Amino acid sequence: MNHFSRRTLLFLLTPCPLSPIVMTGTPLNQKKKLACMNKTALDLRDRRAGFAALEAETFDLLVIGAGITGCGVARDAALRGLKTALIDSGDIGSGTSSRSSKLIHGGVRYLAQGDITVVRQAANERRAVRRIAPHLARNNPMVVLVRNALSQKKFQAGLWGYEKLGQVSENELHVSWDRDQLKAEEPPVAADEFYGAVVYPEYHTDDGRLTLANARGAAAAGAVIVTYAAARELIFDQDRVTGAVVRGTLPGEELGAAVRARLVINAAGPWVDNLRRLEDKQARSKLQLTKGIHVAVRRDRLPLSRSIVMSALDKRGIFTVPHGQYIYFGTTDTFYAEPTYWPEITSEDVRYLLDSANPYFNIEPLSERDVVSVWAGLRPLLGEEGKKPSEISRRDEIMEGPAGMLTVAGGKLTAYRAMAEQLVNRCEKELNLKPAASVTAEQPLPGGDFSGSLEELIIRVAGELGLTLAEADRAAMLYGREAFEVFADGKGPAAEAAHAVLVEGALTLEDYWARRSARAHFDENGGLDTLEPASRRMAALLGWTDEERSRQIENCRAIRRAEMRAMAGD
Ligand code: FAD
């Protein structure tokens, strides 16, 4: 590390667009990648064995839904020794948990509501994610623009209070800028409109991979996980829910299982009401879904180093987030009627974001032509009649149904671990078990077990694997310490796709492309060029015919076309 100048490091760590600086070092080509030696490897290829395992015993918990909520619960339960099964009708994280703004909030936003417990909890939880998965919790400075000295003072006072309450560490305290500093630090911002700024950190994560890491942690602790397995019916025993009938959802598959469990947890995110109605036909809807979209543009088009917090046309808060060579910004907040994996993205959604952001920057206004990717997700919010989407509280809640199924809804990425701990505490009571302490705040997630800082890891990855700094940055963010394993035999989509199948439970090309590699939204042309090499490697591992391989590629292309339709002006 000693031969990198401080300036090189700073350049790397303030996420500016990176020019490819080729690192020298000893590539690890000679190191053998032994996926089976990875103690947290999740290989889900043997579908028959997966369904058989679901039927082989009565579980303490059956968790339905492998989003961040369900994976967090399954990991905590399995680590406490509970016999746990986790199923999902799609892939791990294929619902909302791969479509968020990808921020772990520290609780500053809850200050205004005066809820000190929530502020403290958010700050604690953020620290916990940093501890167990430092690669999935990197500093992301938020620049709040202020129009006058009074606003700046007020915001500073709030942050001082927050920093005390949240025991924020010295190196993460806020700073204030005057207009000249704002101009110097973030040249694209139309600084003349502002008095200055206040800057404080949130953490940036990869939501899909944080979810996946929790699923792998659960499996490593003994949980049985089967993806592409939908709960179609619930099983009742004397008016109590005691399991679910599960069916395989991969095309052409005739697999199923009757899963028995002492407690069933409904963690189906936007779909929780559908499952509640399997328990009680009369159950009234609890959720109000709201859609949020994000758009990404190339970093050289909007060369920011940090997140800029903006006020949208309708005064809602929106913000930019730097991500490698890209900047994304969002989000919208509009009601959406029915749960779906791919909510429709309209040209109005995109226009709203572009029109809201453009006045903040001294650049040629961004247009649809600049948008390189876009994604949409549905917030599973607990409904509050008569309120606008952005006014509905983001609280979470555990609800018990008439036949004993526990539904957990409204949770966020940020507080997933605490919510899971609370739910598993309750499960232990319901099951008359001796309470066991949760260890999820201490036990590292897969890839998170490295010593030294993330910055040091990036440097090591670059040096030892012969990657450019930009490549090493991406590799460390995605894989943490496991980057050495993934790229031991060479870099590129084929190596990543093999790791996705052998270690990360991927069963389709979409699983690799959309949720494990970040390529669908943060790569040239939506990563379409990587589909060919990735699918060839996956075909060999998953036994696909040429026809099946083409179908897998076409599925990804169709997703990309649908997401980008709003940009074509259709
Ligand atoms: P999901 O991730 O949707 O998981 C539910 C799972 O249940 C799905 O995988 C689905 O396939 C499965 N399922 C459904 N029905 C069945 C069935 N019958 N059988 C089996 N499986 C089933 N939070 C933050 O903390 N920070 C942010 O920056 C942030 N930004 C956001 C931005 C947007 C636009 C949105 C939409 C949300 C954002 N959130 C954020 C909130 C956060 O992403 C969600 O609250 C969280 O991901 C919800 O996770 P979940 O596990 O409850 O739901």
Side-chain angles (χ1 to χ4, degrees), residues 64-70 87-91 93-97 99-105 229-231 267-271 275 290 292-294 331 341 377-380 411-414:
I64 302 176
I68 191 67
T69 306
I87 57 159
D88 198 289
S89 40
D91 180 26
S94 56
T96 304
S97 298
R99 322 294 179 81
S100 77
S101 304
K102 309 181 194 301
L103 291 186
I104 310 272
H105 301 292
W271 293 267
L275 275 166
T290 78
I293 78 145
H294 291 84
T331 169
Y341 287 93
L378 296 178
R379 298 178 186 85
K412 294 187 65 79
L413 284 172
T414 300

mmCIF file of all heavy atoms in Angstrom, residues 64-70 87-91 93-97 99-105 229-231 267-271 275 290 292-294 331 341 377-380 411-414, ligand 1:
data_model
loop_
_atom_site.group_PDB
_atom_site.id
_atom_site.type_symbol
_atom_site.label_atom_id
_atom_site.label_comp_id
_atom_site.label_asym_id
_atom_site.label_seq_id
_atom_site.Cartn_x
_atom_site.Cartn_y
_atom_site.Cartn_z
ATOM 1 N N ILE A 64 -41.716 -16.997 4.756
ATOM 2 C CA ILE A 64 -42.141 -16.877 3.356
ATOM 3 C C ILE A 64 -41.723 -15.501 2.850
ATOM 4 O O ILE A 64 -42.201 -14.477 3.326
ATOM 5 C CB ILE A 64 -43.670 -17.061 3.228
ATOM 6 C CG1 ILE A 64 -44.073 -18.433 3.792
ATOM 7 C CG2 ILE A 64 -44.110 -16.912 1.767
ATOM 8 C CD1 ILE A 64 -45.572 -18.700 3.800
ATOM 9 N N GLY A 65 -40.798 -15.480 1.910
ATOM 10 C CA GLY A 65 -40.310 -14.210 1.357
ATOM 11 C C GLY A 65 -38.849 -14.000 1.687
ATOM 12 O O GLY A 65 -38.486 -13.861 2.861
ATOM 13 N N ALA A 66 -37.993 -14.026 0.648
ATOM 14 C CA ALA A 66 -36.555 -13.831 0.872
ATOM 15 C C ALA A 66 -36.105 -12.455 0.415
ATOM 16 O O ALA A 66 -35.157 -12.299 -0.335
ATOM 17 C CB ALA A 66 -35.754 -14.929 0.183
ATOM 18 N N GLY A 67 -36.838 -11.430 0.872
ATOM 19 C CA GLY A 67 -36.336 -10.055 0.754
ATOM 20 C C GLY A 67 -35.477 -9.787 1.982
ATOM 21 O O GLY A 67 -35.144 -10.717 2.742
ATOM 22 N N ILE A 68 -35.117 -8.518 2.191
ATOM 23 C CA ILE A 68 -34.257 -8.223 3.341
ATOM 24 C C ILE A 68 -34.942 -8.616 4.645
ATOM 25 O O ILE A 68 -34.296 -9.083 5.586
ATOM 26 C CB ILE A 68 -33.816 -6.724 3.347
ATOM 27 C CG1 ILE A 68 -32.716 -6.479 4.363
ATOM 28 C CG2 ILE A 68 -34.985 -5.789 3.606
ATOM 29 C CD1 ILE A 68 -31.419 -7.136 4.071
ATOM 30 N N THR A 69 -36.274 -8.464 4.698
ATOM 31 C CA THR A 69 -36.992 -8.781 5.938
ATOM 32 C C THR A 69 -36.883 -10.278 6.231
ATOM 33 O O THR A 69 -36.447 -10.687 7.313
ATOM 34 C CB THR A 69 -38.480 -8.375 5.809
ATOM 35 O OG1 THR A 69 -38.545 -7.003 5.411
ATOM 36 C CG2 THR A 69 -39.227 -8.561 7.105
ATOM 37 N N GLY A 70 -37.272 -11.118 5.259
ATOM 38 C CA GLY A 70 -37.271 -12.560 5.480
ATOM 39 C C GLY A 70 -35.865 -13.105 5.683
ATOM 40 O O GLY A 70 -35.639 -13.984 6.529
ATOM 41 N N ILE A 87 -38.332 -19.615 1.999
ATOM 42 C CA ILE A 87 -38.672 -19.827 0.586
ATOM 43 C C ILE A 87 -38.994 -18.495 -0.076
ATOM 44 O O ILE A 87 -39.371 -17.530 0.592
ATOM 45 C CB ILE A 87 -39.895 -20.758 0.423
ATOM 46 C CG1 ILE A 87 -41.115 -20.203 1.174
ATOM 47 C CG2 ILE A 87 -39.562 -22.172 0.867
ATOM 48 C CD1 ILE A 87 -42.421 -20.733 0.680
ATOM 49 N N ASP A 88 -38.852 -18.462 -1.383
ATOM 50 C CA ASP A 88 -39.261 -17.279 -2.141
ATOM 51 C C ASP A 88 -39.806 -17.721 -3.495
ATOM 52 O O ASP A 88 -39.250 -18.632 -4.124
ATOM 53 C CB ASP A 88 -38.090 -16.312 -2.352
ATOM 54 C CG ASP A 88 -38.597 -14.922 -2.722
ATOM 55 O OD1 ASP A 88 -39.113 -14.752 -3.862
ATOM 56 O OD2 ASP A 88 -38.533 -14.016 -1.872
ATOM 57 N N SER A 89 -40.858 -17.039 -3.936
ATOM 58 C CA SER A 89 -41.420 -17.433 -5.240
ATOM 59 C C SER A 89 -40.502 -17.030 -6.383
ATOM 60 O O SER A 89 -40.620 -17.540 -7.489
ATOM 61 C CB SER A 89 -42.823 -16.862 -5.439
ATOM 62 O OG SER A 89 -42.891 -15.566 -4.964
ATOM 63 N N GLY A 90 -39.577 -16.119 -6.128
ATOM 64 C CA GLY A 90 -38.583 -15.755 -7.127
ATOM 65 C C GLY A 90 -37.193 -15.992 -6.559
ATOM 66 O O GLY A 90 -36.955 -16.921 -5.795
ATOM 67 N N ASP A 91 -36.293 -15.089 -6.916
ATOM 68 C CA ASP A 91 -34.913 -15.160 -6.433
ATOM 69 C C ASP A 91 -34.822 -14.437 -5.082
ATOM 70 O O ASP A 91 -35.709 -13.649 -4.718
ATOM 71 C CB ASP A 91 -34.030 -14.458 -7.479
ATOM 72 C CG ASP A 91 -32.556 -14.454 -7.127
ATOM 73 O OD1 ASP A 91 -32.108 -15.348 -6.383
ATOM 74 O OD2 ASP A 91 -31.840 -13.554 -7.627
ATOM 75 N N GLY A 93 -34.115 -11.549 -2.926
ATOM 76 C CA GLY A 93 -34.055 -10.106 -3.210
ATOM 77 C C GLY A 93 -34.719 -9.686 -4.505
ATOM 78 O O GLY A 93 -34.502 -8.559 -4.963
ATOM 79 N N SER A 94 -35.558 -10.541 -5.084
ATOM 80 C CA SER A 94 -36.128 -10.165 -6.392
ATOM 81 C C SER A 94 -37.301 -9.194 -6.282
ATOM 82 O O SER A 94 -37.763 -8.666 -7.283
ATOM 83 C CB SER A 94 -36.547 -11.410 -7.172
ATOM 84 O OG SER A 94 -37.445 -12.177 -6.412
ATOM 85 N N GLY A 95 -37.788 -8.946 -5.064
ATOM 86 C CA GLY A 95 -38.854 -7.964 -4.888
ATOM 87 C C GLY A 95 -38.259 -6.582 -4.649
ATOM 88 O O GLY A 95 -37.294 -6.173 -5.303
ATOM 89 N N THR A 96 -38.803 -5.878 -3.672
ATOM 90 C CA THR A 96 -38.368 -4.499 -3.407
ATOM 91 C C THR A 96 -36.905 -4.413 -2.977
ATOM 92 O O THR A 96 -36.241 -3.408 -3.217
ATOM 93 C CB THR A 96 -39.260 -3.897 -2.298
ATOM 94 O OG1 THR A 96 -40.616 -3.993 -2.720
ATOM 95 C CG2 THR A 96 -38.938 -2.446 -2.039
ATOM 96 N N SER A 97 -36.402 -5.478 -2.382
ATOM 97 C CA SER A 97 -35.077 -5.397 -1.761
ATOM 98 C C SER A 97 -33.909 -5.287 -2.736
ATOM 99 O O SER A 97 -32.753 -5.256 -2.308
ATOM 100 C CB SER A 97 -34.859 -6.581 -0.809
ATOM 101 O OG SER A 97 -35.805 -6.519 0.223
ATOM 102 N N ARG A 99 -34.463 -2.882 -5.305
ATOM 103 C CA ARG A 99 -34.906 -1.703 -6.089
ATOM 104 C C ARG A 99 -34.906 -0.416 -5.276
ATOM 105 O O ARG A 99 -35.604 0.530 -5.617
ATOM 106 C CB ARG A 99 -36.336 -1.907 -6.610
ATOM 107 C CG ARG A 99 -36.684 -3.281 -7.057
ATOM 108 C CD ARG A 99 -35.876 -3.663 -8.304
ATOM 109 N NE ARG A 99 -36.236 -5.029 -8.670
ATOM 110 C CZ ARG A 99 -37.314 -5.340 -9.348
ATOM 111 N NH1 ARG A 99 -38.113 -4.410 -9.780
ATOM 112 N NH2 ARG A 99 -37.587 -6.594 -9.621
ATOM 113 N N SER A 100 -34.199 -0.412 -4.167
ATOM 114 C CA SER A 100 -34.294 0.744 -3.276
ATOM 115 C C SER A 100 -33.321 1.843 -3.698
ATOM 116 O O SER A 100 -32.657 1.743 -4.725
ATOM 117 C CB SER A 100 -33.992 0.319 -1.840
ATOM 118 O OG SER A 100 -32.599 0.158 -1.684
ATOM 119 N N SER A 101 -33.191 2.873 -2.872
ATOM 120 C CA SER A 101 -32.194 3.935 -3.103
ATOM 121 C C SER A 101 -30.818 3.491 -2.644
ATOM 122 O O SER A 101 -29.848 4.227 -2.789
ATOM 123 C CB SER A 101 -32.576 5.210 -2.351
ATOM 124 O OG SER A 101 -33.851 5.637 -2.700
ATOM 125 N N LYS A 102 -30.729 2.340 -2.021
ATOM 126 C CA LYS A 102 -29.469 1.707 -1.617
ATOM 127 C C LYS A 102 -28.735 2.516 -0.542
ATOM 128 O O LYS A 102 -27.524 2.613 -0.544
ATOM 129 C CB LYS A 102 -28.540 1.464 -2.820
ATOM 130 C CG LYS A 102 -29.270 0.732 -3.958
ATOM 131 C CD LYS A 102 -28.372 0.461 -5.127
ATOM 132 C CE LYS A 102 -29.168 0.050 -6.369
ATOM 133 N NZ LYS A 102 -29.990 -1.152 -6.215
ATOM 134 N N LEU A 103 -29.501 3.123 0.367
ATOM 135 C CA LEU A 103 -28.877 3.871 1.462
ATOM 136 C C LEU A 103 -29.256 3.259 2.802
ATOM 137 O O LEU A 103 -30.397 2.834 2.999
ATOM 138 C CB LEU A 103 -29.333 5.335 1.447
ATOM 139 C CG LEU A 103 -28.839 6.189 0.293
ATOM 140 C CD1 LEU A 103 -29.255 7.641 0.516
ATOM 141 C CD2 LEU A 103 -27.322 6.116 0.115
ATOM 142 N N ILE A 104 -28.260 3.199 3.673
ATOM 143 C CA ILE A 104 -28.528 2.824 5.060
ATOM 144 C C ILE A 104 -28.574 4.147 5.807
ATOM 145 O O ILE A 104 -27.552 4.804 5.967
ATOM 146 C CB ILE A 104 -27.380 1.964 5.640
ATOM 147 C CG1 ILE A 104 -27.022 0.807 4.704
ATOM 148 C CG2 ILE A 104 -27.686 1.503 7.040
ATOM 149 C CD1 ILE A 104 -27.781 -0.451 4.862
ATOM 150 N N HIS A 105 -29.758 4.517 6.224
ATOM 151 C CA HIS A 105 -29.928 5.835 6.842
ATOM 152 C C HIS A 105 -29.491 5.807 8.301
ATOM 153 O O HIS A 105 -29.777 4.853 9.019
ATOM 154 C CB HIS A 105 -31.393 6.262 6.781
ATOM 155 C CG HIS A 105 -31.924 6.337 5.384
ATOM 156 N ND1 HIS A 105 -31.494 7.285 4.483
ATOM 157 C CD2 HIS A 105 -32.826 5.587 4.722
ATOM 158 C CE1 HIS A 105 -32.121 7.107 3.336
ATOM 159 N NE2 HIS A 105 -32.940 6.087 3.438
ATOM 160 N N ALA A 229 -39.828 -20.909 -5.303
ATOM 161 C CA ALA A 229 -40.744 -21.816 -4.613
ATOM 162 C C ALA A 229 -41.814 -20.952 -3.952
ATOM 163 O O ALA A 229 -41.530 -20.271 -2.965
ATOM 164 C CB ALA A 229 -39.991 -22.623 -3.566
ATOM 165 N N ALA A 230 -43.007 -20.961 -4.517
ATOM 166 C CA ALA A 230 -44.058 -20.050 -4.034
ATOM 167 C C ALA A 230 -44.994 -20.763 -3.070
ATOM 168 O O ALA A 230 -45.379 -21.908 -3.308
ATOM 169 C CB ALA A 230 -44.850 -19.526 -5.224
ATOM 170 N N ALA A 231 -45.349 -20.069 -1.991
ATOM 171 C CA ALA A 231 -46.381 -20.594 -1.086
ATOM 172 C C ALA A 231 -47.725 -20.363 -1.767
ATOM 173 O O ALA A 231 -48.123 -19.219 -1.995
ATOM 174 C CB ALA A 231 -46.319 -19.866 0.251
ATOM 175 N N ALA A 267 -43.296 -12.753 5.277
ATOM 176 C CA ALA A 267 -42.387 -11.619 5.018
ATOM 177 C C ALA A 267 -42.408 -11.331 3.522
ATOM 178 O O ALA A 267 -41.356 -11.150 2.907
ATOM 179 C CB ALA A 267 -40.982 -11.962 5.498
ATOM 180 N N ALA A 268 -43.609 -11.292 2.958
ATOM 181 C CA ALA A 268 -43.740 -11.240 1.495
ATOM 182 C C ALA A 268 -43.762 -9.814 0.944
ATOM 183 O O ALA A 268 -44.178 -9.600 -0.202
ATOM 184 C CB ALA A 268 -44.977 -12.017 1.056
ATOM 185 N N GLY A 269 -43.308 -8.836 1.721
ATOM 186 C CA GLY A 269 -43.171 -7.464 1.207
ATOM 187 C C GLY A 269 -44.468 -6.973 0.577
ATOM 188 O O GLY A 269 -45.539 -7.033 1.205
ATOM 189 N N PRO A 270 -44.414 -6.513 -0.673
ATOM 190 C CA PRO A 270 -45.623 -5.966 -1.298
ATOM 191 C C PRO A 270 -46.753 -7.001 -1.426
ATOM 192 O O PRO A 270 -47.888 -6.642 -1.706
ATOM 193 C CB PRO A 270 -45.136 -5.556 -2.695
ATOM 194 C CG PRO A 270 -43.667 -5.367 -2.556
ATOM 195 C CD PRO A 270 -43.224 -6.342 -1.508
ATOM 196 N N TRP A 271 -46.414 -8.288 -1.235
ATOM 197 C CA TRP A 271 -47.412 -9.360 -1.404
ATOM 198 C C TRP A 271 -47.981 -9.832 -0.070
ATOM 199 O O TRP A 271 -48.691 -10.829 -0.026
ATOM 200 C CB TRP A 271 -46.772 -10.544 -2.128
ATOM 201 C CG TRP A 271 -46.383 -10.270 -3.552
ATOM 202 C CD1 TRP A 271 -47.152 -10.506 -4.664
ATOM 203 C CD2 TRP A 271 -45.140 -9.741 -4.039
ATOM 204 N NE1 TRP A 271 -46.456 -10.128 -5.801
ATOM 205 C CE2 TRP A 271 -45.223 -9.666 -5.439
ATOM 206 C CE3 TRP A 271 -43.975 -9.316 -3.424
ATOM 207 C CZ2 TRP A 271 -44.182 -9.184 -6.245
ATOM 208 C CZ3 TRP A 271 -42.934 -8.828 -4.205
ATOM 209 C CH2 TRP A 271 -43.047 -8.767 -5.604
ATOM 210 N N LEU A 275 -50.923 -13.184 1.044
ATOM 211 C CA LEU A 275 -50.737 -14.325 1.951
ATOM 212 C C LEU A 275 -51.697 -14.238 3.140
ATOM 213 O O LEU A 275 -52.212 -15.256 3.594
ATOM 214 C CB LEU A 275 -49.294 -14.371 2.453
ATOM 215 C CG LEU A 275 -48.340 -15.092 1.513
ATOM 216 C CD1 LEU A 275 -46.909 -14.810 1.884
ATOM 217 C CD2 LEU A 275 -48.579 -16.597 1.542
ATOM 218 N N THR A 290 -46.502 2.086 -2.823
ATOM 219 C CA THR A 290 -46.134 3.258 -3.621
ATOM 220 C C THR A 290 -44.890 2.917 -4.430
ATOM 221 O O THR A 290 -44.000 2.202 -3.953
ATOM 222 C CB THR A 290 -45.904 4.543 -2.780
ATOM 223 O OG1 THR A 290 -44.621 4.485 -2.154
ATOM 224 C CG2 THR A 290 -46.982 4.780 -1.747
ATOM 225 N N GLY A 292 -41.471 3.774 -6.520
ATOM 226 C CA GLY A 292 -40.363 4.734 -6.581
ATOM 227 C C GLY A 292 -39.437 4.325 -7.706
ATOM 228 O O GLY A 292 -39.086 3.160 -7.829
ATOM 229 N N ILE A 293 -39.064 5.287 -8.549
ATOM 230 C CA ILE A 293 -38.093 4.953 -9.600
ATOM 231 C C ILE A 293 -36.802 5.752 -9.388
ATOM 232 O O ILE A 293 -36.794 6.807 -8.746
ATOM 233 C CB ILE A 293 -38.637 5.202 -11.034
ATOM 234 C CG1 ILE A 293 -38.594 6.702 -11.391
ATOM 235 C CG2 ILE A 293 -40.025 4.662 -11.258
ATOM 236 C CD1 ILE A 293 -38.287 6.936 -12.855
ATOM 237 N N HIS A 294 -35.721 5.211 -9.934
ATOM 238 C CA HIS A 294 -34.426 5.924 -9.974
ATOM 239 C C HIS A 294 -33.930 5.917 -11.407
ATOM 240 O O HIS A 294 -34.172 4.945 -12.129
ATOM 241 C CB HIS A 294 -33.386 5.198 -9.124
ATOM 242 C CG HIS A 294 -33.673 5.259 -7.658
ATOM 243 N ND1 HIS A 294 -34.533 4.386 -7.035
ATOM 244 C CD2 HIS A 294 -33.214 6.093 -6.692
ATOM 245 C CE1 HIS A 294 -34.602 4.685 -5.746
ATOM 246 N NE2 HIS A 294 -33.803 5.714 -5.507
ATOM 247 N N THR A 331 -36.097 9.711 -5.575
ATOM 248 C CA THR A 331 -36.989 8.788 -6.205
ATOM 249 C C THR A 331 -38.367 9.420 -6.336
ATOM 250 O O THR A 331 -38.612 10.467 -5.725
ATOM 251 C CB THR A 331 -37.037 7.463 -5.401
ATOM 252 O OG1 THR A 331 -38.086 6.628 -5.843
ATOM 253 C CG2 THR A 331 -37.177 7.711 -3.952
ATOM 254 N N TYR A 341 -43.344 -7.703 -9.860
ATOM 255 C CA TYR A 341 -41.882 -7.638 -9.795
ATOM 256 C C TYR A 341 -41.331 -6.489 -10.636
ATOM 257 O O TYR A 341 -40.271 -5.952 -10.350
ATOM 258 C CB TYR A 341 -41.269 -8.963 -10.272
ATOM 259 C CG TYR A 341 -41.464 -10.053 -9.257
ATOM 260 C CD1 TYR A 341 -42.562 -10.907 -9.329
ATOM 261 C CD2 TYR A 341 -40.584 -10.190 -8.197
ATOM 262 C CE1 TYR A 341 -42.759 -11.897 -8.375
ATOM 263 C CE2 TYR A 341 -40.769 -11.172 -7.230
ATOM 264 C CZ TYR A 341 -41.859 -12.012 -7.333
ATOM 265 O OH TYR A 341 -42.053 -12.975 -6.376
ATOM 266 N N GLY A 377 -39.285 0.228 -7.909
ATOM 267 C CA GLY A 377 -39.620 -0.694 -6.820
ATOM 268 C C GLY A 377 -40.903 -0.260 -6.147
ATOM 269 O O GLY A 377 -41.343 0.889 -6.310
ATOM 270 N N LEU A 378 -41.491 -1.172 -5.397
ATOM 271 C CA LEU A 378 -42.729 -0.859 -4.682
ATOM 272 C C LEU A 378 -42.475 -0.851 -3.183
ATOM 273 O O LEU A 378 -41.968 -1.837 -2.630
ATOM 274 C CB LEU A 378 -43.804 -1.904 -5.008
ATOM 275 C CG LEU A 378 -44.263 -1.955 -6.459
ATOM 276 C CD1 LEU A 378 -45.287 -3.060 -6.659
ATOM 277 C CD2 LEU A 378 -44.846 -0.608 -6.915
ATOM 278 N N ARG A 379 -42.839 0.253 -2.543
ATOM 279 C CA ARG A 379 -42.695 0.316 -1.084
ATOM 280 C C ARG A 379 -43.898 -0.383 -0.451
ATOM 281 O O ARG A 379 -45.032 0.010 -0.712
ATOM 282 C CB ARG A 379 -42.686 1.773 -0.597
ATOM 283 C CG ARG A 379 -41.553 2.613 -1.132
ATOM 284 C CD ARG A 379 -41.669 4.061 -0.624
ATOM 285 N NE ARG A 379 -40.661 4.881 -1.268
ATOM 286 C CZ ARG A 379 -40.797 5.453 -2.456
ATOM 287 N NH1 ARG A 379 -41.928 5.299 -3.134
ATOM 288 N NH2 ARG A 379 -39.831 6.178 -2.973
ATOM 289 N N PRO A 380 -43.637 -1.373 0.402
ATOM 290 C CA PRO A 380 -44.767 -2.013 1.085
ATOM 291 C C PRO A 380 -45.121 -1.236 2.352
ATOM 292 O O PRO A 380 -44.721 -1.591 3.454
ATOM 293 C CB PRO A 380 -44.223 -3.403 1.420
ATOM 294 C CG PRO A 380 -42.728 -3.277 1.426
ATOM 295 C CD PRO A 380 -42.347 -2.008 0.725
ATOM 296 N N GLY A 411 -41.050 -2.809 6.812
ATOM 297 C CA GLY A 411 -39.655 -2.644 7.230
ATOM 298 C C GLY A 411 -38.792 -1.997 6.163
ATOM 299 O O GLY A 411 -39.142 -2.004 4.995
ATOM 300 N N LYS A 412 -37.676 -1.441 6.592
ATOM 301 C CA LYS A 412 -36.730 -0.832 5.643
ATOM 302 C C LYS A 412 -35.415 -1.602 5.705
ATOM 303 O O LYS A 412 -35.151 -2.305 6.653
ATOM 304 C CB LYS A 412 -36.497 0.628 6.017
ATOM 305 C CG LYS A 412 -37.747 1.461 5.836
ATOM 306 C CD LYS A 412 -37.489 2.926 6.045
ATOM 307 C CE LYS A 412 -36.567 3.527 5.037
ATOM 308 N NZ LYS A 412 -37.139 3.836 3.752
ATOM 309 N N LEU A 413 -34.615 -1.404 4.688
ATOM 310 C CA LEU A 413 -33.279 -1.990 4.703
ATOM 311 C C LEU A 413 -32.553 -1.581 5.970
ATOM 312 O O LEU A 413 -31.922 -2.381 6.650
ATOM 313 C CB LEU A 413 -32.448 -1.435 3.544
ATOM 314 C CG LEU A 413 -32.667 -1.910 2.137
ATOM 315 C CD1 LEU A 413 -31.829 -1.038 1.225
ATOM 316 C CD2 LEU A 413 -32.290 -3.358 2.009
ATOM 317 N N THR A 414 -32.625 -0.285 6.261
ATOM 318 C CA THR A 414 -31.861 0.319 7.342
ATOM 319 C C THR A 414 -32.024 -0.415 8.667
ATOM 320 O O THR A 414 -31.052 -0.653 9.362
ATOM 321 C CB THR A 414 -32.317 1.782 7.511
ATOM 322 O OG1 THR A 414 -32.064 2.448 6.288
ATOM 323 C CG2 THR A 414 -31.609 2.468 8.634
HETATM 324 P P1 FAD B 1 -39.347 -7.670 -0.613
HETATM 325 O O1 FAD B 1 -37.939 -7.347 -0.837
HETATM 326 O O2 FAD B 1 -40.295 -7.289 -1.678
HETATM 327 O O3 FAD B 1 -39.433 -9.217 -0.346
HETATM 328 C C1 FAD B 1 -40.641 -9.933 -0.367
HETATM 329 C C2 FAD B 1 -40.374 -11.273 -1.028
HETATM 330 O O4 FAD B 1 -41.525 -12.104 -0.850
HETATM 331 C C3 FAD B 1 -40.162 -11.159 -2.536
HETATM 332 O O5 FAD B 1 -38.855 -11.599 -2.858
HETATM 333 C C4 FAD B 1 -41.243 -12.046 -3.140
HETATM 334 O O6 FAD B 1 -40.799 -12.781 -4.251
HETATM 335 C C5 FAD B 1 -41.600 -12.962 -1.969
HETATM 336 N N1 FAD B 1 -42.951 -13.517 -2.048
HETATM 337 C C6 FAD B 1 -44.105 -12.878 -2.279
HETATM 338 N N2 FAD B 1 -45.142 -13.739 -2.267
HETATM 339 C C7 FAD B 1 -44.622 -14.962 -2.011
HETATM 340 C C8 FAD B 1 -45.188 -16.273 -1.883
HETATM 341 N N3 FAD B 1 -46.510 -16.502 -2.020
HETATM 342 N N4 FAD B 1 -44.360 -17.317 -1.651
HETATM 343 C C9 FAD B 1 -43.024 -17.126 -1.534
HETATM 344 N N5 FAD B 1 -42.437 -15.897 -1.643
HETATM 345 C C10 FAD B 1 -43.233 -14.839 -1.875
HETATM 346 N N6 FAD B 1 -35.056 1.411 2.590
HETATM 347 C C11 FAD B 1 -33.905 1.841 3.144
HETATM 348 O O7 FAD B 1 -33.596 1.491 4.274
HETATM 349 N N7 FAD B 1 -33.078 2.700 2.462
HETATM 350 C C12 FAD B 1 -33.372 3.175 1.239
HETATM 351 O O8 FAD B 1 -32.575 3.899 0.631
HETATM 352 C C13 FAD B 1 -34.603 2.774 0.657
HETATM 353 N N8 FAD B 1 -34.979 3.256 -0.550
HETATM 354 C C14 FAD B 1 -36.107 2.793 -1.135
HETATM 355 C C15 FAD B 1 -36.439 3.273 -2.400
HETATM 356 C C16 FAD B 1 -37.531 2.747 -3.068
HETATM 357 C C17 FAD B 1 -37.886 3.259 -4.431
HETATM 358 C C18 FAD B 1 -38.303 1.721 -2.485
HETATM 359 C C19 FAD B 1 -39.436 1.101 -3.237
HETATM 360 C C20 FAD B 1 -38.004 1.268 -1.200
HETATM 361 C C21 FAD B 1 -36.916 1.810 -0.510
HETATM 362 N N9 FAD B 1 -36.568 1.387 0.766
HETATM 363 C C22 FAD B 1 -35.432 1.834 1.368
HETATM 364 C C23 FAD B 1 -37.404 0.436 1.500
HETATM 365 C C24 FAD B 1 -36.890 -0.997 1.403
HETATM 366 O O9 FAD B 1 -36.284 -1.259 0.163
HETATM 367 C C25 FAD B 1 -38.036 -1.984 1.585
HETATM 368 O O10 FAD B 1 -38.815 -1.613 2.683
HETATM 369 C C26 FAD B 1 -37.539 -3.402 1.798
HETATM 370 O O11 FAD B 1 -36.677 -3.778 0.754
HETATM 371 C C27 FAD B 1 -38.709 -4.359 1.869
HETATM 372 O O12 FAD B 1 -38.202 -5.648 2.004
HETATM 373 P P2 FAD B 1 -39.144 -6.894 2.185
HETATM 374 O O13 FAD B 1 -38.283 -8.052 2.439
HETATM 375 O O14 FAD B 1 -40.180 -6.612 3.211
HETATM 376 O O15 FAD B 1 -39.908 -7.039 0.785
#
